[in-house]
Amino acid sequence: MKYKRILLKLSGEALMGSNQYGIDSDKLSEYASEIKNIVDSGVEVAIVIGGGNIFRGVQAEEGGMDRTHGDYMGMLATMINSMALQAALESAGINTRLQSAIEMKEIAEPFVRRRAVRHLEKNRVVIFGAGTGNPFFTTDSAASLRAIEINADVILKGTRVDGIYSADPEKDEKAIKYDTISFDEVYAKNLKVMDMTAFTLCKENNLPIIVFDMDTPGNLIKVLKGENVGTIVKN
Ligand code: GTP
């Protein structure tokens, strides 16, 4: 395997599968089996999952709600997804630990960096819920922050597109896909990879990002084997 310790960022929306809202149980078990493949091959896996299939702070603001309030509700949405993913992974026979950035000790351990690292060393999958615990930060920022804290080798951003394109491939048929791109080129071309806070955190800490299609079975393990799947952003 090319990477020993990874942080996998999953989108909340992807959990909806073909539904308009909530969690699709088939999608959840599909993800669990993809993750099991890499855990079984000895990779240390940490996961951050979004909450957009349940609640989005930004949209709540458009509806007149205070942004901070909406963002905290979004953090709770990530906890629901994290718990669902934890259950699916455990059904697949994987040991997991869930840590929350907001204290809710009846359902999750608090986030303790050294403890998270110990779990990873014992081949437990660690799920980080509740974002960074702060409003105005996305789950992409939580993923970058946690990845750096646990010294992950790479952050894998699982999406529905198979990499980073020069333009939106759904709108522009001339859009080309990059196999490798530098952080500076992403800035220069104004490409959307992650929000700027998350992206800059990765750049400044020399943490490569791989964007790949998580919905194609087998892709996750291919990325870890170093096969040419998705797009890698690195310095
Ligand atoms: P080791 O120290 O490596 O044995 O790790 P461990 O996670 O097995 O240790 P521990 O005995 O502390 O935890 C046993 C179980 O309790 C695990 O499932 C933990 O996730 C859970 N646990 C530990 N602390 C908390 C907490 O504050 N809240 C909740 N809800 N669960 C906790």
Side-chain angles (χ1 to χ4, degrees):
M1 291 289 155
K2 191 165 174 202
Y3 305 101
K4 173 85 180 102
R5 179 176 293 168
I6 63 142
L7 189 137
L8 176 64
K9 165 72 203 319
L10 297 173
S11 94
E13 279 92 346
L15 275 196
M16 292 191 290
S18 51
N19 303 329
Q20 296 298 308
Y21 178 83
I23 300 170
D24 177 65
S25 55
D26 290 340
K27 192 86 214 162
L28 204 54
S29 18
E30 198 183 290
Y31 279 1
S33 86
E34 291 297 300
I35 294 163
K36 183 173 167 51
N37 284 342
I38 60 166
V39 174
D40 287 348
S41 62
V43 177
E44 295 175 7
V45 182
I47 303 175
V48 168
I49 184 158
N53 54 324
I54 299 170
F55 193 84
R56 294 187 142 276
V58 180
Q59 276 163 10
E61 190 184 27
E62 286 159 13
M65 189 188 285
D66 178 66
R67 167 75 190 267
T68 310
H69 195 81
D71 280 351
Y72 278 113
M73 290 173 70
M75 290 177 230
L76 297 183
T78 72
M79 281 304 285
I80 293 178
N81 286 338
S82 296
M83 289 177 74
L85 187 63
Q86 179 177 39
L89 292 171
E90 301 224 313
S91 303
I94 304 169
N95 287 322
T96 67
R97 295 290 185 266
L98 171 59
Q99 295 198 341
S100 171
I102 296 175
E103 194 176 311
M104 38 186 111
K105 59 182 186 300
E106 287 77 7
I107 52 175
E109 295 178 16
F111 169 66
V112 178
R113 187 188 74 84
R114 294 175 70 113
R115 195 142 182 221
V117 169
R118 174 183 165 95
H119 291 322
L120 291 169
E121 285 165 352
K122 291 190 170 185
N123 282 97
R124 296 165 179 153
V125 169
V126 181
I127 305 170
F128 296 118
T132 66
N134 299 291
F136 299 101
F137 289 91
T138 63
T139 45
D140 275 350
S141 290
S144 309
L145 176 65
R146 295 298 184 236
I148 293 159
E149 286 183 278
I150 62 168
N151 292 321
D153 302 319
V154 66
I155 171 161
L156 304 183
K157 186 171 154 107
T159 65
R160 278 173 284 192
V161 276
D162 61 350
I164 302 170
Y165 283 78
S166 55
D168 184 346
E170 280 168 13
K171 292 183 190 144
D172 183 350
E173 58 186 29
K174 291 199 197 103
I176 53 151
K177 189 189 139 214
Y178 300 101
D179 291 334
T180 305
I181 189 165
S182 69
F183 284 94
D184 288 338
E185 276 176 281
V186 169
Y187 286 124
K189 296 187 163 81
N190 199 20
L191 301 173
K192 302 272 173 293
V193 178
M194 287 177 158
D195 67 85
M196 276 303 152
T197 310
F199 189 76
T200 304
L201 208 51
C202 293
K203 175 185 159 60
E204 289 182 348
N205 291 279
N206 212 8
L207 177 70
I209 307 165
I210 299 177
V211 179
F212 73 105
D213 171 17
M214 180 70 192
D215 287 347
T216 301
N219 259 0
L220 181 59
I221 194 145
K222 282 187 190 157
V223 171
L224 283 153
K225 285 179 174 162
E227 289 182 28
N228 190 12
V229 172
T231 302
I232 182 162
V233 187
K234 54 185 181 184
N235 277 327

